[in-house]
Amino acid sequence: MKRKLRVCCRGSLPTRAFVLGVMLLSILSDTATVAGRPAASGQIPEALGPLRLGEVKPEGWLRATLLRDLKTGYAGHLDELLQDPQTKKFLLRPENNDFVTRENNRGCRCDKSGLAMPPALRTWWHGEMIGDWHDGLLRAAFLTGEPRARAKADRFVAAILKSQDEDGYIGIYPKGCRFHFARPDGELWTQRCVLLPLLAYYEFTGREDVLDAVQRAVKLTISQYGHGKRNYFDTPNQRDCGISHGLMYLDVLDWLYRLTGDEAYRRAALSLYDDYNAARNVLVKDGQLEKLLDPTIPFSGHGPDVMGFLRVTLLCHHLSGKRVYWQAWQNAIRKVQRHLGVGGSPLSGHGEEIKAKDQRPDMPYEYCSTFYLEHSLIWALQKTGAARFGDMIERTLFNAAQGARFADGKALTYYSADERLWVRQRPPEGRGNRRFIYTAAFYPSCCHDSGARVYPYAISAMWMRSRGDNGGGLVATLYGPSRVETEVNGTRVTVVEETGYPFSFDVRFSIQAERPVAFPLCLRIPAWSAEPSVTAAGASVTRDERGYLVVSKEWKSGDQVRVQLRPAIRGLRAVDGRTALAYGPLVFCLPIPEKTQIVRRFPPVGPDQIGGFCAYQFDPADLASARRPLKLFAERPGFGFRVVKNKAADPLYPWDRPPLTLRGTMLGAGGRHESVTLLPMGSTLLRRTFFATSK
Ligand SMILES: [Zn+2]
């Protein structure tokens, strides 16, 4: 009761007056032009342009990891592993593709007012899983060229195109039961989940018929909503997040607008957000403008939704030029900082909701939260150009995301945590959760689908295009072994990036150009690096205000650039005041030796009978030892630790045997000193991450 009153006071007149004031300001705000096409009214140019999918390719360990995930990991074989627990059907296999069969919504009926009623709750789940898993598979297939995954991707796209109705509809609901619902549904969300891989396929292949199919589907959908029509987000009795998820249909609209410049998509995106803002019934309200404009309201909704919604106001700002959206976006990114653990994912409760109260640094987080945060941060990096979003992406990817999967890609956990002594559905202490388990397949597979996407999405965002008065340039937004092949100022250019990053901070770029061409090559300076050293013969090197080194010259084939980033061991303060150690983008943890319990074995899969797929629980081998008192020496350089290179490391599979460790001394029980070795979070299962410091 008390809480309700407080919220009421805070959300009433002052906030509304503030919103109106900012809105008025936004009407008077500046307008701008967008390079390449006439600007729509108020549209603001993005700082960086994404490269076409396929122009950035992984090399070195990134390529090796992606290939192994496809060949022998769950990501390439989830269609052969994941069964619907009720029907026992392998729901990702072509014959069970719900966009084609519409099997799960066969019992859909309409009520008296013509609104559709799905036959049960969550009949949209399979649509999400089918779209999202194929999105990861398809991207990884094209990024590596792995032929079997390519064949699955081709088959999937062909099946979806074949399923398209004459009116353009692509979706999971039968004719007569679409777009407007009387009950919880997943119309917009599942459409988004299947249209994104189609758009990715279009970019990788250039197949215009695929782009046409997506446009027909989207034109049909956006004609159903908008001013004077029924608000999709106000469907009554929302008991799951299917409708809230639908706000991320904006991903499709933004991408189509970028590809085609068709005003209809821009208008539809802004209108969809207006509808979401006006909805009273929608389950997850954290992304509503009024809530975002009040910086004191913490996030509290479903983690993956809130992490996805982060990017909505930034998108609307760029599409409309309205400052009110910019203000809301800035608040959103400030708010999310208060929820993130040191691994870069939001500290959450057992019901997948983000927690603001009583935070502990070892709270769990859903893999989907981790992925959707990464996805929002990629947008933030691209639209604002601010280097700090690159730092945030790498933190999330290399710690929370990598720390929730097996290095060899055989298994992943739905719920992970920055620190944990058990991975067990019913641990002896604390609350249990059936999602605390490492497994090759879990139903629902949302988190496994997210796990299949974190690297493909990050790889395609490693390079972006800058725009300037004197033409375009290239920006190394995230570091890692890669190759970018694109056109810069009318000239074909290839840049090969050789590095063992994030385990090495020495990064070499080799340039090939079909003829000499001048452009700036911008290199992100991570906030954790001291002044980097740069070697680039004949180039001018400056720093820009967004956080990049700008290396400019007329490039010709054979030119080289070398940058050496300079991390130092640093302490990260956890929400309870304890300290975690980091070096570069990596958080380091004390690995806890574990006892392994295999709780399920999956039969071998595929023509090669790939085996080794299991579900696991882990206990500490020695609980007393796992819990022994250990403190960091606060006053010693590097908290008493130094960086030690591991000669036995495998450079192609660095998470299996990490090339970097932190070795040092900690203060144990009775003032005893103890030598310990810390490993990157992404190379540990059970781990201790947070330590008190000695006085
Ligand atoms: Zn999930």
Side-chain angles (χ1 to χ4, degrees):
M1 199 60 186
K2 243 184 189 172
R3 200 170 143 234
K4 256 190 179 168
L5 257 176
R6 268 182 46 210
V7 171
C8 180
C9 295
R10 197 167 49 203
S12 60
L13 267 177
T15 306
R16 288 212 191 103
F18 176 64
V19 173
L20 282 174
V22 181
M23 278 178 164
L24 196 64
L25 267 179
S26 73
I27 292 165
L28 304 171
S29 75
D30 54 341
T31 57
T33 55
V34 175
R37 63 168 180 258
S41 62
Q43 197 190 343
I44 289 184
E46 297 162 331
L48 305 177
L51 290 167
R52 192 182 176 93
L53 289 179
E55 289 188 323
V56 184
K57 291 260 172 60
E59 295 283 341
W61 76 262
L62 279 171
R63 177 178 161 77
T65 299
L66 218 51
L67 256 184
R68 184 169 65 171
D69 284 358
L70 286 177
K71 286 182 173 174
T72 59
Y74 85 80
H77 298 283
L78 198 58
D79 53 338
E80 298 153 275
L81 295 163
L82 178 68
Q83 284 177 286
D84 178 335
Q86 287 193 330
T87 64
K88 302 295 176 203
K89 277 184 183 169
F90 288 89
L91 63 98
L92 301 177
R93 285 189 185 166
E95 65 271 24
N96 295 322
N97 187 331
D98 212 35
F99 290 96
V100 178
T101 63
R102 293 172 188 154
E103 178 68 30
N104 290 351
N105 285 295
R106 194 150 281 175
C108 223
R109 298 286 175 265
C110 286
D111 70 5
K112 278 186 235 147
S113 57
L115 297 174
M117 298 195 295
L121 267 181
R122 297 171 188 149
T123 54
W124 51 269
W125 268 22
H126 292 184
E128 173 196 296
M129 295 181 219
I130 289 162
D132 283 352
W133 174 66
H134 280 97
D135 190 27
L137 178 87
L138 184 155
R139 284 168 176 259
F142 279 96
L143 291 176
T144 59
E146 204 286 316
R148 282 189 182 151
R150 262 297 304 269
K152 285 182 186 178
D154 291 341
R155 203 161 55 223
F156 167 72
V157 172
I160 298 295
L161 294 191
K162 211 172 160 196
S163 79
Q164 186 165 31
D165 287 350
E166 322 76 60
D167 62 358
Y169 184 78
I170 293 176
I172 56 170
Y173 295 98
K175 281 180 185 167
C177 299
R178 295 171 177 170
F179 301 114
H180 296 289
F181 292 81
R183 285 182 189 168
D185 69 272
E187 179 73 287
L188 284 182
W189 173 242
T190 48
Q191 286 191 25
R192 177 239 184 238
C193 294
V194 76
L195 295 178
L196 288 187
L198 292 192
L199 285 175
Y201 192 84
Y202 161 69
E203 286 209 2
F204 281 118
T205 63
R207 284 249 317 258
E208 292 290 339
D209 61 319
V210 179
L211 177 62
D212 291 346
V214 175
Q215 292 209 72
R216 286 178 60 221
V218 172
K219 286 276 166 78
L220 174 72
T221 296
I222 61 182
S223 71
Q224 311 298 317
Y225 309 112
H227 196 65
K229 297 180 180 165
R230 192 181 166 84
N231 183 341
Y232 173 74
F233 298 101
D234 245 343
T235 303
N237 305 316
Q238 294 185 32
R239 282 179 290 158
D240 64 39
C241 294
I243 290 169
S244 303
H245 291 359
L247 180 58
M248 296 325 296
Y249 194 78
L250 285 166
D251 286 345
V252 179
L253 297 172
D254 175 70
W255 199 345
L256 276 178
Y257 183 55
R258 178 188 305 290
L259 291 172
T260 66
D262 187 335
E263 267 292 292
Y265 303 125
R266 189 182 77 91
R267 281 197 304 270
L270 293 168
S271 166
L272 198 67
Y273 187 47
D274 284 346
D275 275 0
Y276 169 75
N277 282 327
R280 294 192 175 277
N281 290 323
V282 72
L283 207 60
V284 182
K285 295 188 169 69
D286 299 55
Q288 288 187 332
L289 192 60
E290 186 168 359
K291 284 198 178 266
L292 290 176
L293 286 172
D294 184 343
T296 66
I297 303 177
F299 291 139
S300 59
H302 180 250
D305 269 344
V306 179
M307 294 302 104
F309 294 174
L310 279 180
R311 58 184 176 264
V312 169
T313 47
L314 179 63
L315 166 66
C316 290
H317 170 68
H318 281 276
L319 292 179
S320 70
K322 288 187 179 176
R323 287 187 190 281
V324 66
Y325 294 134
W326 179 253
Q327 182 65 43
W329 149 252
Q330 291 205 309
N331 283 352
I333 207 69
R334 262 183 230 123
K335 285 188 194 194
V336 80
Q337 304 280 4
R338 303 203 285 264
H339 293 276
L340 297 184
V342 300
S345 196
L347 304 173
S348 306
H350 284 237
E352 305 177 2
E353 76 287 13
I354 298 184
K355 289 288 190 193
K357 274 188 171 177
D358 305 321
Q359 286 179 325
R360 291 192 330 271
D362 60 350
M363 278 178 147
Y365 39 79
E366 182 182 347
Y367 206 106
C368 288
S369 292
T370 305
F371 169 68
Y372 287 107
L373 173 62
E374 178 197 281
H375 194 184
S376 285
L377 293 172
I378 288 172
W379 283 47
L381 180 59
Q382 182 248 318
K383 289 185 191 302
T384 70
R388 69 189 178 102
F389 293 118
D391 297 1
M392 289 180 75
I393 293 167
E394 289 181 353
R395 174 171 73 145
T396 300
L397 174 65
F398 294 140
N399 299 293
Q402 184 64 36
R405 52 166 280 169
F406 277 11
D408 65 7
K410 287 282 190 193
L412 174 141
T413 179
Y414 190 111
Y415 258 131
S416 185
D418 290 344
E419 174 171 281
R420 59 192 178 192
L421 295 188
W422 286 278
V423 172
R424 173 164 286 287
Q425 293 184 327
R426 287 192 195 81
E429 296 170 13
R431 279 182 59 185
N433 192 311
R434 89 186 174 86
R435 297 173 181 194
F436 289 133
I437 188 169
Y438 271 89
T439 174
F442 187 87
Y443 184 95
S445 68
C446 58
C447 288
H448 281 70
D449 304 334
S450 291
R453 286 179 290 170
V454 285
Y455 277 109
Y457 271 70
I459 287 164
S460 295
M462 288 173 71
W463 288 88
M464 295 188 192
R465 203 182 284 289
S466 62
R467 304 185 181 97
D469 298 338
N470 304 319
L474 286 175
V475 189
T477 39
L478 307 172
Y479 288 109
S482 61
R483 163 190 298 265
V484 55
E485 293 184 62
T486 188
E487 203 164 276
V488 184
N489 301 332
T491 302
R492 293 297 305 169
V493 171
T494 301
V495 182
V496 177
E497 177 180 350
E498 290 175 275
T499 179
Y501 190 90
F503 305 97
S504 154
F505 300 93
D506 188 354
V507 190
R508 293 160 194 261
F509 302 91
S510 311
I511 289 101
Q512 295 290 321
E514 66 178 356
R515 56 179 173 273
V517 57
F519 64 87
L521 181 67
C522 301
L523 311 172
R524 188 180 113 247
I525 309 167
W528 43 255
S529 176
E531 189 64 28
S533 73
V534 189
T535 317
S540 85
V541 181
T542 55
R543 287 182 76 129
D544 74 5
E545 73 284 0
R546 290 180 183 139
Y548 299 87
L549 289 165
V550 183
V551 187
S552 304
K553 66 176 279 192
E554 185 176 75
W555 302 100
K556 55 186 190 311
S557 288
D559 279 346
Q560 306 265 336
V561 177
R562 182 179 179 190
V563 61
Q564 287 171 294
L565 304 170
R566 295 167 56 210
I569 296 172
R570 66 193 191 281
L572 305 175
R573 195 180 154 82
V575 292
D576 64 354
R578 287 184 294 160
T579 300
L581 293 189
Y583 182 69
L586 301 176
V587 175
F588 282 77
C589 309
L590 180 68
I592 305 294
E594 75 275 356
K595 283 187 292 195
T596 304
Q597 180 194 12
I598 293 181
V599 292
R600 182 178 171 191
R601 289 178 197 276
F602 294 81
V605 296
D608 297 336
Q609 289 291 285
I610 308 291
F613 292 111
C614 300
Y616 304 85
Q617 299 190 124
F618 300 103
D619 296 292
D622 178 343
L623 182 58
S625 162
R627 282 208 166 120
R628 68 196 185 276
L630 284 172
K631 283 184 178 177
L632 292 165
F633 287 106
E635 74 289 358
R636 293 190 179 179
F639 293 84
F641 282 83
R642 63 194 167 88
V643 179
V644 176
K645 288 188 178 160
N646 175 13
K647 291 199 181 77
D650 184 340
L652 271 191
Y653 300 111
W655 301 102
D656 299 40
R657 291 198 297 279
L660 288 186
T661 63
L662 297 188
R663 236 176 257 167
T665 306
M666 297 182 79
L667 188 64
R672 216 166 18 85
H673 289 198
E674 184 181 332
S675 296
V676 299
T677 299
L678 307 183
L679 301 182
M681 182 183 286
S683 296
T684 61
L685 274 172
L686 304 182
R687 53 197 169 226
R688 280 177 67 181
T689 308
F690 306 104
F691 301 97
T693 46
S694 67
K695 289 280 182 294

